[in-house]
Amino acid sequence: MGTYNLPRNVKGEGRILFIFTGKSMIYTVVAGAIGLLFYFIFSAFGLNMVGIIITLVFALIGFVIGSMKVPNLEKFEFSKKTGGENIDDVIRRAIKFKTKGKKIYIYKEEERDVK
């Protein structure tokens, strides 16, 4: 008798705590650290609850940027072009576009007729 490999579902094995991927965990921690700066500023004035809420909002924004994709909505021009791409990739590309003087270079290969 031979041995056979059985396929198994490994989709969720790369996740931390069932909802975080490695990339979304990094984005959440970095955004939460930025939110902690605001927490310390507000706690100096005795507004601890406001600082905690701002920290949680920043962490949630980091999680969304790290794990979600841009929805494909036909109504908006922006989502027609970027629909289905990761949000962090779209943000990174927009930053590069702004810093390079708003120029995009497209390299197109010429088609050759094969006879």
Side-chain angles (χ1 to χ4, degrees):
M1 293 216 163
T3 58
Y4 299 98
N5 292 327
L6 296 175
R8 62 183 199 152
N9 186 7
V10 294
K11 182 179 180 184
E13 289 186 8
R15 296 191 174 263
I16 305 164
L17 299 176
F18 296 111
I19 61 169
F20 293 107
T21 61
K23 183 171 75 169
S24 68
M25 183 70 154
I26 291 169
Y27 276 94
T28 303
V29 169
V30 169
I34 294 170
L36 278 176
L37 295 174
F38 287 99
Y39 169 74
F40 291 129
I41 292 170
F42 282 107
S43 66
F45 296 112
L47 300 170
N48 290 335
M49 188 55 80
V50 174
I52 291 171
I53 291 171
I54 289 175
T55 302
L56 292 176
V57 167
F58 269 79
L60 181 66
I61 290 171
F63 175 74
V64 168
I65 289 173
S67 63
M68 301 291 179
K69 294 180 183 261
V70 176
N72 191 5
L73 302 173
E74 296 295 325
K75 212 173 191 184
F76 303 107
E77 186 69 27
F78 175 76
S79 66
K80 282 182 186 177
K81 295 176 182 176
T82 60
E85 295 183 37
N86 290 331
I87 294 175
D88 63 327
D89 291 336
V90 173
I91 292 171
R92 189 178 306 123
R93 200 168 47 238
I95 291 170
K96 284 182 181 178
F97 178 70
K98 294 283 185 185
T99 58
K100 300 230 183 223
K102 298 184 179 181
K103 293 180 183 177
I104 296 177
Y105 297 100
I106 299 173
Y107 299 102
K108 183 178 177 185
E109 293 183 23
E110 293 182 15
E111 295 179 17
R112 292 183 243 164
D113 292 334
V114 178
K115 293 183 181 181

